[in-house]
Amino acid sequence: MKLTILGCYAATPRSFTNPSSQVLEIGNHLFLIDCGEGTQVQLRRNKIKFSKINHIFISHLHGDHFYGLVGLISTFMLLKRENELHVYGPQGVKEIILLQLKLSKSWTNYPLYFHELTKKIPEVIFDDERIMVETIPLKHRVYTNGFLFKEKPGDRKLLIDKAEKYKIDVALYKSLKKGKDVIAEDGKLISNALVTADPPEPKSYAYCSDTIYKPEITSQIKGVTALYHESTFLESDAHLAEPTQHSTAKQAAKIALEAEVGRLILGHYSTRYESIDLFKKEAQSIFPPSELADDGLEILFE
């Protein structure tokens, strides 16, 4: 599982910072999460192949999280895309994008599907044989969701030397990987545990976009491999967080601590601060495995 931060700053883009967007590579998927202005430029800068992005998740309809979407959709058309593109986002995202495509006479030449979200409870919005994605209901000035990406348990690891020792037919190896006991060539029942090892622990990633401090989400994200949580303000400016419905670095760390996550990644920094290192210092005082997102950063989850 690899995360590439394309942009992680709040509000307006600047010459040296970009608004929210990131790519999660997990299983055989490249998921684009939020799509602020400049996303496609950042995709090129980070050498991420456009053609491999088939699913885009938009947390909410504030400009710094989706104003890059119509441009990316149009670029896919210019690149002669043929694959389906699926967009998951709040109700209204379809109307906004289709109006722009209509008035510019820029209809796509590939299948474009919108999956509009309205529920205020977690729901599964993507599910295949390897990955499941569900919403994390958040609280912001407009309807907002985070997203929880969960790997499914993989096949068990076959211990070839053990399988050969017990004289198990090669045709039964697939059954062993699926966790089944098998009958050896001599007619004996061979326990799966004798010839296989546990698969790698499934990884998970929680993306918590703009939200006030909402400890109710901790039960849903309990024990995730990594949590990205917005930290627009430092605690010294906590009085600004509630009216704008954002969080502080300290509040993000409290969420991470209560949810017992593997690591916390801070982002969505207000540009009022001269150094983002202050966010890390504040969060680490509560949750030591806290780190900073920054534009262009790649994080590999082992």
Side-chain angles (χ1 to χ4, degrees):
M1 185 167 74
K2 184 174 78 171
L3 181 69
T4 302
I5 307 294
L6 303 178
C8 61
Y9 288 80
T12 59
R14 297 182 292 173
S15 59
F16 53 94
T17 65
N18 295 274
S20 295
S21 186
Q22 50 186 249
V23 171
L24 180 68
E25 183 176 350
I26 182 171
N28 57 346
H29 295 288
L30 278 182
F31 293 128
L32 180 63
I33 311 170
D34 275 339
C35 190
E37 290 179 70
T39 290
Q40 58 181 311
V41 174
Q42 285 293 89
L43 287 169
R44 292 187 186 281
R45 186 169 289 151
N46 289 276
K47 296 180 172 57
I48 295 171
K49 291 187 177 179
F50 283 44
S51 60
K52 290 189 175 182
I53 296 174
N54 297 319
H55 303 273
I56 300 175
F57 299 86
I58 302 298
S59 62
H60 64 294
L61 297 181
H62 278 163
D64 56 336
H65 293 261
F66 89 101
Y67 277 174
L69 181 57
V70 71
L72 182 60
I73 288 172
S74 297
T75 294
F76 281 142
M77 178 185 65
L78 296 174
L79 295 176
K80 308 299 183 185
R81 181 189 179 97
E82 296 180 356
N83 293 346
E84 295 180 355
L85 181 65
H86 294 262
V87 177
Y88 307 79
Q91 187 174 45
V93 66
K94 179 178 180 180
E95 179 183 359
I96 291 171
I97 298 301
L98 291 188
L99 179 61
Q100 294 177 88
L101 295 178
K102 174 185 175 182
L103 295 180
S104 62
K105 296 186 167 82
S106 301
W107 297 114
T108 64
N109 50 5
Y110 58 88
L112 176 61
Y113 297 98
F114 292 91
H115 307 267
E116 295 196 305
L117 309 173
T118 58
K119 291 184 179 179
K120 295 185 178 180
I121 58 174
E123 64 173 321
V124 174
I125 56 176
F126 177 86
D127 193 10
D128 70 6
E129 68 278 359
R130 299 189 65 181
I131 307 294
M132 184 171 72
V133 184
E134 59 186 46
T135 59
I136 305 171
L138 301 174
K139 186 177 180 182
H140 191 43
R141 301 192 305 277
V142 295
Y143 176 78
T144 304
N145 285 301
F147 301 103
L148 175 58
F149 300 82
K150 296 191 291 187
E151 255 185 340
K152 295 181 179 179
D155 290 345
R156 295 186 63 77
K157 182 180 179 182
L158 179 63
L159 305 175
I160 298 293
D161 57 333
K162 299 289 186 182
E164 291 175 346
K165 173 185 174 181
Y166 287 102
K167 296 181 170 56
I168 298 172
D169 193 303
V170 174
L172 298 175
Y173 283 4
K174 187 174 181 179
S175 294
L176 287 171
K177 290 180 180 179
K178 296 299 181 185
K180 297 178 181 178
D181 298 334
V182 298
I183 303 296
E185 292 176 357
D186 60 6
K188 291 182 180 179
L189 178 67
I190 305 299
S191 171
N192 188 274
L194 293 174
V195 291
T196 67
D198 291 338
E201 189 72 21
K203 298 180 180 66
S204 52
Y205 175 64
Y207 173 82
C208 289
S209 171
D210 300 17
T211 183
I212 63 167
Y213 175 59
K214 190 181 180 187
E216 296 92 329
I217 68 173
T218 56
S219 59
Q220 184 184 2
I221 63 173
K222 198 82 169 179
V224 296
T225 306
L227 163 66
Y228 174 93
H229 195 289
E230 77 118 288
S231 54
T232 306
F233 299 107
L234 294 173
E235 193 64 21
S236 57
D237 292 316
H239 62 283
L240 300 175
E242 188 169 345
T244 58
Q245 300 201 356
H246 284 295
S247 298
T248 67
K250 180 178 180 179
Q251 289 170 337
K254 289 169 68 176
I255 293 290
L257 181 66
E258 186 174 340
E260 300 176 345
V261 307
R263 61 204 290 186
L264 169 64
I265 305 166
L266 302 168
H268 201 265
Y269 319 108
S270 169
T271 54
R272 70 181 57 238
Y273 303 105
E274 292 186 4
S275 172
I276 61 174
D277 289 334
L278 298 171
F279 291 85
K280 181 178 179 180
K281 182 178 180 180
E282 181 169 289
Q284 285 185 335
S285 68
I286 293 173
F287 188 72
S290 298
E291 56 197 282
L292 299 173
D294 208 354
D295 296 1
L297 179 67
E298 288 186 357
I299 303 173
L300 186 63
F301 303 109
E302 301 288 355

